[in-house]
Amino acid sequence: MEVAQTDQGQIAFAMICDGMGGLAKGELASATVIRAFAQWFQFDFPQMVQGGFSEEALQLKWGGIIAAQNSRIEAYGGREGI
């Protein structure tokens, strides 16, 4: 879980990644996605909070992160034969 301090108070961000990557390397797939979202929360989210954002903008950003990480995990699985 990540926590950020804002003008409106603290914001907590937590994720659960269950059932990712199958039995082989599932923990790697989960860690990859969690790391990507943690970086977003640390670097991009503060700018979104300051500039104001809509739920739609947040959904688009998260969708982009998920799509990028899915492609990355799929490519890894292809290279490793998983």
Coordinates of all heavy atoms in Angstrom, one line a residue:
M1 N 0.8 -1.2 0.0 CA 0.0 0.0 0.0 C 0.9 1.2 0.0 O 1.9 1.3 0.7 CB -0.9 0.0 1.2 CG -1.8 1.2 1.3 SD -3.1 1.2 2.6 CE -2.1 1.5 4.0
E2 N 0.5 2.2 -0.8 CA 1.2 3.5 -0.9 C 0.3 4.5 -0.3 O -0.9 4.5 -0.4 CB 1.5 3.8 -2.3 CG 2.4 2.9 -3.1 CD 3.8 3.0 -2.7 OE1 4.3 4.1 -2.3 OE2 4.6 2.0 -2.8
V3 N 0.9 5.5 0.4 CA 0.1 6.6 1.0 C 0.8 7.9 0.6 O 2.0 8.1 0.6 CB 0.1 6.5 2.5 CG1 -0.6 7.7 3.2 CG2 -0.5 5.2 3.0
A4 N -0.1 8.9 0.2 CA 0.4 10.2 -0.2 C -0.3 11.3 0.6 O -1.5 11.1 0.9 CB 0.1 10.5 -1.7
Q5 N 0.4 12.3 0.9 CA -0.2 13.5 1.6 C -0.7 14.5 0.6 O 0.1 14.9 -0.3 CB 0.8 14.1 2.6 CG 0.2 15.2 3.5 CD -0.9 14.7 4.4 OE1 -0.8 13.6 5.0 NE2 -1.9 15.5 4.5
T6 N -1.9 15.0 0.7 CA -2.4 16.0 -0.2 C -3.0 17.2 0.6 O -3.1 17.1 1.8 CB -3.5 15.5 -1.2 OG1 -4.7 15.2 -0.4 CG2 -3.1 14.2 -1.9
D7 N -3.4 18.2 -0.1 CA -4.1 19.3 0.5 C -5.4 18.9 1.2 O -5.8 19.5 2.2 CB -4.4 20.5 -0.4 CG -3.1 21.1 -0.9 OD1 -2.0 20.9 -0.3 OD2 -3.1 21.8 -2.0
Q8 N -6.0 17.8 0.7 CA -7.3 17.3 1.2 C -7.1 16.3 2.3 O -8.0 15.7 2.8 CB -8.1 16.8 0.1 CG -8.7 17.8 -0.9 CD -7.7 18.2 -2.0 OE1 -6.8 17.4 -2.3 NE2 -7.7 19.4 -2.4
G9 N -5.8 15.9 2.6 CA -5.5 14.8 3.5 C -4.8 13.7 2.9 O -4.3 13.8 1.8
Q10 N -4.7 12.6 3.6 CA -3.9 11.5 3.0 C -4.8 10.7 2.1 O -6.0 10.5 2.2 CB -3.5 10.5 4.2 CG -2.4 11.1 5.0 CD -1.9 10.1 6.0 OE1 -2.6 9.2 6.5 NE2 -0.6 10.3 6.4
I11 N -4.1 10.1 1.1 CA -4.7 9.2 0.1 C -4.0 7.9 0.1 O -2.7 7.9 0.0 CB -4.7 9.8 -1.3 CG1 -5.5 11.1 -1.4 CG2 -5.2 8.8 -2.4 CD1 -5.3 11.8 -2.7
A12 N -4.7 6.8 0.3 CA -4.0 5.5 0.2 C -4.4 4.8 -1.1 O -5.5 5.0 -1.6 CB -4.5 4.7 1.4
F13 N -3.4 4.1 -1.6 CA -3.6 3.3 -2.8 C -3.1 1.9 -2.6 O -2.0 1.7 -2.2 CB -2.8 4.0 -3.9 CG -3.0 3.3 -5.3 CD1 -4.2 3.4 -6.0 CD2 -2.0 2.5 -5.8 CE1 -4.4 2.8 -7.2 CE2 -2.2 1.9 -7.1 CZ -3.4 2.1 -7.7
A14 N -4.0 0.9 -2.8 CA -3.6 -0.5 -2.6 C -4.1 -1.3 -3.7 O -5.1 -0.9 -4.4 CB -4.2 -1.0 -1.3
M15 N -3.5 -2.4 -4.0 CA -3.8 -3.3 -5.1 C -3.8 -4.7 -4.6 O -2.9 -5.1 -3.8 CB -2.9 -3.2 -6.3 CG -2.9 -1.9 -7.0 SD -1.8 -1.9 -8.4 CE -2.6 -3.1 -9.4
I16 N -4.6 -5.5 -5.2 CA -4.5 -7.0 -5.1 C -4.4 -7.6 -6.5 O -5.2 -7.3 -7.3 CB -5.8 -7.5 -4.4 CG1 -5.9 -7.0 -3.0 CG2 -5.8 -9.1 -4.4 CD1 -7.2 -7.3 -2.3
C17 N -3.4 -8.3 -6.7 CA -3.1 -9.0 -8.0 C -3.2 -10.5 -7.7 O -2.2 -11.1 -7.3 CB -1.8 -8.6 -8.5 SG -1.7 -6.9 -9.0
D18 N -4.4 -11.1 -8.0 CA -4.6 -12.5 -7.7 C -4.8 -13.2 -9.0 O -5.6 -12.7 -9.8 CB -5.7 -12.7 -6.7 CG -5.9 -14.1 -6.3 OD1 -4.9 -14.9 -6.3 OD2 -7.1 -14.5 -6.0
G19 N -4.2 -14.4 -9.2 CA -4.5 -15.2 -10.3 C -3.8 -14.7 -11.6 O -4.2 -15.0 -12.7
M20 N -2.7 -13.9 -11.4 CA -2.0 -13.4 -12.6 C -0.8 -14.3 -13.0 O -0.1 -14.8 -12.1 CB -1.4 -12.0 -12.2 CG -2.5 -11.0 -12.0 SD -1.8 -9.4 -11.8 CE -0.9 -9.2 -13.3
G21 N -0.7 -14.6 -14.2 CA 0.4 -15.3 -14.7 C 0.4 -16.8 -14.6 O 1.3 -17.5 -14.9
G22 N -0.7 -17.3 -14.1 CA -0.9 -18.8 -13.9 C 0.0 -19.3 -12.8 O 0.6 -18.5 -12.0
L23 N 0.2 -20.6 -12.8 CA 1.1 -21.2 -11.7 C 2.5 -20.8 -11.9 O 3.3 -20.7 -11.0 CB 0.9 -22.7 -11.7 CG -0.5 -23.2 -11.3 CD1 -0.6 -24.7 -11.4 CD2 -0.8 -22.8 -9.9
A24 N 3.0 -20.7 -13.2 CA 4.4 -20.5 -13.4 C 4.6 -19.0 -13.4 O 4.0 -18.2 -14.2 CB 4.8 -21.1 -14.8
K25 N 5.4 -18.5 -12.5 CA 5.8 -17.1 -12.5 C 4.7 -16.1 -12.1 O 4.7 -14.9 -12.5 CB 6.5 -16.6 -13.8 CG 7.7 -17.5 -14.1 CD 8.8 -17.2 -13.2 CE 10.1 -17.9 -13.7 NZ 11.2 -17.6 -12.9
G26 N 3.6 -16.6 -11.5 CA 2.5 -15.7 -11.1 C 3.0 -14.5 -10.2 O 2.5 -13.4 -10.3
E27 N 4.0 -14.8 -9.3 CA 4.4 -13.8 -8.4 C 5.2 -12.7 -9.2 O 5.2 -11.6 -8.8 CB 5.3 -14.4 -7.3 CG 6.7 -14.9 -7.7 CD 6.7 -16.2 -8.5 OE1 5.7 -16.9 -8.6 OE2 7.8 -16.6 -9.0
L28 N 5.9 -13.1 -10.3 CA 6.6 -12.1 -11.1 C 5.6 -11.2 -11.8 O 5.8 -10.0 -11.9 CB 7.5 -12.8 -12.1 CG 8.3 -12.0 -13.0 CD1 9.2 -11.0 -12.2 CD2 9.1 -12.8 -14.0
A29 N 4.5 -11.8 -12.3 CA 3.5 -11.0 -13.0 C 2.8 -10.0 -12.1 O 2.7 -8.9 -12.4 CB 2.4 -12.0 -13.6
S30 N 2.5 -10.5 -10.9 CA 1.9 -9.6 -9.9 C 2.8 -8.5 -9.5 O 2.4 -7.3 -9.4 CB 1.5 -10.4 -8.6 OG 0.5 -11.3 -8.9
A31 N 4.1 -8.8 -9.3 CA 5.1 -7.8 -8.9 C 5.3 -6.8 -10.0 O 5.4 -5.6 -9.7 CB 6.4 -8.4 -8.5
T32 N 5.2 -7.2 -11.2 CA 5.4 -6.3 -12.3 C 4.3 -5.3 -12.4 O 4.5 -4.1 -12.6 CB 5.5 -7.1 -13.7 OG1 6.6 -8.0 -13.6 CG2 5.6 -6.2 -14.9
V33 N 3.1 -5.7 -12.2 CA 1.9 -4.8 -12.3 C 1.9 -3.9 -11.1 O 1.6 -2.7 -11.2 CB 0.6 -5.6 -12.4 CG1 -0.6 -4.7 -12.3 CG2 0.6 -6.4 -13.7
I34 N 2.2 -4.4 -9.9 CA 2.2 -3.6 -8.7 C 3.3 -2.5 -8.8 O 3.0 -1.4 -8.5 CB 2.4 -4.5 -7.5 CG1 1.1 -5.3 -7.2 CG2 2.8 -3.6 -6.3 CD1 1.3 -6.3 -6.1
R35 N 4.4 -2.9 -9.3 CA 5.5 -1.9 -9.5 C 5.1 -0.8 -10.5 O 5.3 0.4 -10.2 CB 6.8 -2.6 -10.0 CG 8.0 -1.7 -10.0 CD 9.3 -2.5 -10.3 NE 9.2 -3.7 -11.0 CZ 9.2 -5.0 -10.5 NH1 9.3 -5.1 -9.2 NH2 9.1 -6.0 -11.3
A36 N 4.4 -1.1 -11.6 CA 4.0 -0.1 -12.5 C 3.0 0.8 -11.9 O 3.1 2.0 -12.1 CB 3.4 -0.8 -13.8
F37 N 2.0 0.3 -11.1 CA 1.0 1.2 -10.5 C 1.7 2.0 -9.4 O 1.3 3.1 -9.2 CB -0.2 0.4 -10.0 CG -1.2 0.2 -11.0 CD1 -1.3 -1.0 -11.8 CD2 -2.2 1.1 -11.2 CE1 -2.2 -1.1 -12.8 CE2 -3.2 1.0 -12.2 CZ -3.2 -0.2 -13.0
A38 N 2.6 1.4 -8.7 CA 3.3 2.2 -7.6 C 4.1 3.4 -8.2 O 4.1 4.5 -7.6 CB 4.3 1.3 -6.8
Q39 N 4.7 3.2 -9.3 CA 5.4 4.3 -10.0 C 4.4 5.3 -10.5 O 4.7 6.5 -10.3 CB 6.2 3.7 -11.2 CG 7.4 2.9 -10.8 CD 8.2 2.3 -11.9 OE1 7.7 2.2 -13.1 NE2 9.4 1.9 -11.7
W40 N 3.3 4.9 -11.0 CA 2.2 5.9 -11.4 C 1.8 6.7 -10.2 O 1.7 7.9 -10.3 CB 1.0 5.1 -12.0 CG -0.2 6.0 -12.1 CD1 -0.5 6.9 -13.0 CD2 -1.2 6.1 -11.1 NE1 -1.6 7.6 -12.7 CE2 -2.1 7.1 -11.6 CE3 -1.5 5.4 -9.9 CZ2 -3.3 7.4 -10.9 CZ3 -2.7 5.7 -9.2 CH2 -3.5 6.7 -9.7
F41 N 1.5 6.0 -9.1 CA 1.1 6.7 -7.9 C 2.1 7.7 -7.4 O 1.8 8.8 -6.9 CB 0.7 5.7 -6.8 CG 0.1 6.3 -5.6 CD1 -1.2 6.7 -5.6 CD2 0.8 6.5 -4.4 CE1 -1.9 7.2 -4.5 CE2 0.2 7.0 -3.3 CZ -1.1 7.4 -3.3
Q42 N 3.4 7.3 -7.4 CA 4.4 8.2 -6.9 C 4.7 9.4 -7.9 O 4.9 10.5 -7.4 CB 5.7 7.3 -6.8 CG 6.9 8.2 -6.2 CD 8.1 7.3 -5.9 OE1 8.2 6.1 -6.3 NE2 9.1 7.9 -5.3
F43 N 4.7 9.1 -9.2 CA 5.1 10.2 -10.1 C 4.0 10.9 -10.8 O 4.1 12.1 -11.0 CB 6.1 9.6 -11.1 CG 7.4 9.1 -10.4 CD1 7.6 7.7 -10.4 CD2 8.3 10.0 -9.8 CE1 8.8 7.3 -9.7 CE2 9.4 9.5 -9.2 CZ 9.7 8.2 -9.2
D44 N 3.0 10.2 -11.3 CA 1.9 10.8 -12.1 C 0.7 11.2 -11.3 O 0.1 12.3 -11.6 CB 1.5 9.8 -13.2 CG 2.6 9.4 -14.2 OD1 3.5 10.2 -14.3 OD2 2.4 8.4 -14.9
F45 N 0.4 10.5 -10.3 CA -0.8 10.8 -9.5 C -0.7 12.2 -8.9 O -1.7 12.9 -8.9 CB -1.1 9.7 -8.5 CG -2.4 9.9 -7.8 CD1 -3.6 9.9 -8.4 CD2 -2.4 10.2 -6.4 CE1 -4.8 10.1 -7.8 CE2 -3.6 10.4 -5.7 CZ -4.8 10.4 -6.4
P46 N 0.4 12.6 -8.3 CA 0.4 13.9 -7.7 C 0.1 15.0 -8.7 O -0.5 16.0 -8.3 CB 1.9 14.0 -7.2 CG 2.3 12.6 -6.9 CD 1.6 11.8 -8.0
Q47 N 0.6 14.9 -9.9 CA 0.3 15.9 -10.9 C -1.2 15.9 -11.2 O -1.8 16.9 -11.5 CB 1.1 15.6 -12.2 CG 2.6 15.8 -12.0 CD 3.4 15.4 -13.2 OE1 2.9 15.1 -14.2 NE2 4.7 15.5 -13.0
M48 N -1.8 14.7 -11.3 CA -3.3 14.6 -11.5 C -4.0 15.3 -10.4 O -5.0 16.0 -10.7 CB -3.7 13.2 -11.7 CG -3.2 12.5 -12.9 SD -3.7 10.8 -13.1 CE -5.4 11.0 -13.6
V49 N -3.6 15.1 -9.2 CA -4.3 15.7 -8.0 C -4.2 17.2 -8.1 O -5.2 17.9 -7.9 CB -3.8 15.1 -6.7 CG1 -4.3 15.9 -5.5 CG2 -4.1 13.7 -6.5
Q50 N -3.1 17.7 -8.4 CA -2.9 19.2 -8.5 C -3.7 19.8 -9.6 O -4.2 20.9 -9.4 CB -1.4 19.5 -8.6 CG -0.6 19.3 -7.4 CD 0.9 19.6 -7.6 OE1 1.4 19.8 -8.7 NE2 1.6 19.6 -6.5
G51 N -3.7 19.1 -10.7 CA -4.4 19.7 -11.9 C -5.8 19.4 -12.0 O -6.6 19.9 -12.8
G52 N -6.3 18.5 -11.1 CA -7.7 18.1 -11.2 C -7.9 17.0 -12.3 O -7.2 17.1 -13.3
F53 N -8.7 16.1 -12.0 CA -8.9 15.0 -13.0 C -10.3 14.4 -12.9 O -10.9 14.6 -11.8 CB -7.8 13.9 -12.9 CG -7.9 13.2 -11.6 CD1 -8.6 12.0 -11.4 CD2 -7.2 13.7 -10.5 CE1 -8.6 11.4 -10.2 CE2 -7.2 13.0 -9.2 CZ -7.9 11.9 -9.1
S54 N -10.7 13.8 -13.9 CA -12.0 13.1 -13.9 C -11.9 11.6 -13.7 O -10.8 11.1 -13.9 CB -12.7 13.4 -15.2 OG -12.0 12.7 -16.3
E55 N -13.0 11.0 -13.4 CA -12.9 9.6 -13.2 C -12.6 8.9 -14.5 O -11.9 7.9 -14.6 CB -14.3 9.1 -12.7 CG -14.4 7.6 -12.5 CD -15.7 7.1 -11.9 OE1 -16.4 7.9 -11.2 OE2 -16.1 6.0 -12.2
E56 N -13.1 9.5 -15.6 CA -12.8 9.0 -17.0 C -11.3 9.0 -17.3 O -10.7 8.1 -17.8 CB -13.5 9.8 -18.0 CG -13.3 9.2 -19.4 CD -14.1 10.0 -20.4 OE1 -15.3 10.2 -20.3 OE2 -13.5 10.5 -21.4
A57 N -10.6 10.1 -16.9 CA -9.2 10.3 -17.1 C -8.4 9.2 -16.3 O -7.4 8.6 -16.8 CB -8.7 11.7 -16.7
L58 N -8.9 9.0 -15.1 CA -8.2 8.0 -14.2 C -8.4 6.6 -14.8 O -7.4 5.8 -14.9 CB -8.8 8.0 -12.8 CG -8.2 7.2 -11.8 CD1 -6.7 7.5 -11.5 CD2 -9.0 7.3 -10.5
Q59 N -9.6 6.3 -15.3 CA -9.8 5.0 -15.9 C -9.0 4.8 -17.2 O -8.5 3.7 -17.4 CB -11.3 4.8 -16.2 CG -12.2 4.6 -15.0 CD -13.7 4.6 -15.4 OE1 -14.1 4.9 -16.5 NE2 -14.5 4.2 -14.4
L60 N -8.9 5.8 -18.0 CA -8.0 5.7 -19.2 C -6.6 5.5 -18.8 O -5.9 4.7 -19.4 CB -8.1 7.0 -20.0 CG -9.4 7.2 -20.8 CD1 -9.5 8.6 -21.4 CD2 -9.6 6.1 -21.9
K61 N -6.1 6.2 -17.8 CA -4.7 6.0 -17.4 C -4.4 4.6 -16.9 O -3.5 3.9 -17.2 CB -4.3 7.0 -16.3 CG -2.9 7.0 -15.9 CD -2.0 7.3 -17.1 CE -0.5 7.4 -16.6 NZ 0.4 7.6 -17.7
W62 N -5.3 4.1 -16.0 CA -5.2 2.8 -15.5 C -5.3 1.7 -16.6 O -4.6 0.7 -16.6 CB -6.3 2.5 -14.4 CG -6.0 3.2 -13.1 CD1 -4.9 4.0 -12.8 CD2 -6.8 3.1 -11.9 NE1 -5.0 4.4 -11.5 CE2 -6.1 3.9 -10.9 CE3 -7.9 2.4 -11.6 CZ2 -6.6 4.0 -9.6 CZ3 -8.5 2.6 -10.3 CH2 -7.8 3.4 -9.4
G63 N -6.2 1.9 -17.5 CA -6.4 1.0 -18.6 C -5.1 0.9 -19.5 O -4.7 -0.1 -19.9
G64 N -4.4 2.1 -19.7 CA -3.2 2.1 -20.4 C -2.1 1.4 -19.6 O -1.3 0.6 -20.3
I65 N -2.0 1.5 -18.3 CA -1.0 0.8 -17.5 C -1.3 -0.7 -17.6 O -0.4 -1.5 -17.8 CB -1.1 1.3 -16.1 CG1 -0.6 2.7 -15.9 CG2 -0.2 0.4 -15.2 CD1 -0.8 3.3 -14.6
I66 N -2.5 -1.1 -17.5 CA -2.9 -2.5 -17.5 C -2.5 -3.1 -18.9 O -1.9 -4.2 -19.0 CB -4.4 -2.7 -17.2 CG1 -4.6 -2.4 -15.7 CG2 -4.8 -4.1 -17.5 CD1 -6.0 -2.3 -15.3
A67 N -2.9 -2.4 -20.0 CA -2.6 -2.9 -21.3 C -1.1 -3.0 -21.5 O -0.6 -4.0 -22.1 CB -3.2 -2.0 -22.4
A68 N -0.3 -2.0 -21.1 CA 1.1 -2.1 -21.3 C 1.8 -3.2 -20.5 O 2.6 -3.9 -21.0 CB 1.8 -0.7 -20.9
Q69 N 1.3 -3.4 -19.3 CA 1.9 -4.5 -18.4 C 1.4 -5.8 -18.9 O 2.2 -6.8 -18.9 CB 1.5 -4.3 -17.0 CG 2.1 -3.0 -16.4 CD 3.6 -2.9 -16.6 OE1 4.4 -3.7 -16.4 NE2 4.0 -1.7 -17.2
N70 N 0.2 -5.9 -19.5 CA -0.2 -7.2 -20.0 C 0.6 -7.6 -21.2 O 1.1 -8.7 -21.3 CB -1.7 -7.1 -20.4 CG -2.2 -8.4 -20.9 OD1 -2.2 -9.4 -20.2 ND2 -2.7 -8.5 -22.1
S71 N 0.9 -6.6 -22.1 CA 1.8 -6.9 -23.2 C 3.2 -7.3 -22.8 O 3.8 -8.2 -23.3 CB 1.9 -5.6 -24.1 OG 0.7 -5.4 -24.7
R72 N 3.7 -6.6 -21.8 CA 5.0 -6.9 -21.3 C 5.1 -8.3 -20.7 O 6.0 -9.1 -20.9 CB 5.4 -5.9 -20.2 CG 6.8 -6.0 -19.6 CD 7.0 -4.9 -18.7 NE 8.4 -5.0 -18.1 CZ 8.8 -4.4 -17.1 NH1 8.0 -3.6 -16.5 NH2 10.0 -4.6 -16.7
I73 N 4.1 -8.7 -19.9 CA 4.0 -10.0 -19.3 C 3.8 -11.1 -20.4 O 4.5 -12.2 -20.3 CB 2.9 -10.1 -18.2 CG1 3.3 -9.2 -17.0 CG2 2.7 -11.6 -17.8 CD1 2.1 -8.9 -16.1
E74 N 3.0 -10.8 -21.3 CA 2.8 -11.8 -22.4 C 4.0 -12.0 -23.2 O 4.4 -13.1 -23.6 CB 1.6 -11.3 -23.3 CG 1.2 -12.2 -24.4 CD 0.0 -11.7 -25.1 OE1 -0.1 -10.5 -25.4 OE2 -0.9 -12.5 -25.5
A75 N 4.8 -10.9 -23.5 CA 6.0 -11.1 -24.2 C 7.1 -11.9 -23.4 O 7.8 -12.7 -24.0 CB 6.6 -9.7 -24.6
Y76 N 7.1 -11.6 -22.1 CA 8.0 -12.4 -21.3 C 7.6 -13.9 -21.3 O 8.5 -14.8 -21.5 CB 8.0 -11.9 -19.8 CG 8.7 -12.7 -18.9 CD1 10.1 -12.5 -18.7 CD2 8.1 -13.7 -18.1 CE1 10.8 -13.3 -17.8 CE2 8.8 -14.5 -17.2 CZ 10.2 -14.3 -17.1 OH 10.9 -15.1 -16.2
G77 N 6.4 -14.2 -21.2 CA 5.9 -15.6 -21.2 C 6.2 -16.2 -22.6 O 6.6 -17.4 -22.6
G78 N 6.1 -15.5 -23.7 CA 6.5 -16.0 -25.0 C 8.0 -16.3 -25.1 O 8.4 -17.4 -25.6
R79 N 8.8 -15.4 -24.5 CA 10.3 -15.7 -24.6 C 10.7 -16.8 -23.7 O 11.6 -17.6 -24.0 CB 11.0 -14.4 -24.1 CG 11.0 -13.3 -25.1 CD 12.0 -12.2 -24.7 NE 11.8 -11.7 -23.3 CZ 11.0 -10.8 -22.9 NH1 10.2 -10.1 -23.8 NH2 10.9 -10.4 -21.6
E80 N 10.0 -17.0 -22.6 CA 10.4 -18.0 -21.6 C 9.6 -19.3 -21.8 O 9.9 -20.3 -21.1 CB 10.1 -17.5 -20.2 CG 10.9 -16.3 -19.8 CD 12.4 -16.6 -19.8 OE1 12.8 -17.6 -19.3 OE2 13.2 -15.7 -20.3
G81 N 8.7 -19.3 -22.7 CA 7.9 -20.5 -23.0 C 6.9 -20.9 -21.9 O 6.7 -22.0 -21.6
I82 N 6.4 -19.8 -21.3 CA 5.5 -20.1 -20.1 C 4.1 -19.9 -20.6 O 3.7 -19.0 -21.3 CB 5.7 -19.0 -19.0 CG1 7.1 -19.2 -18.5 CG2 4.7 -19.2 -17.9 CD1 7.6 -18.1 -17.5

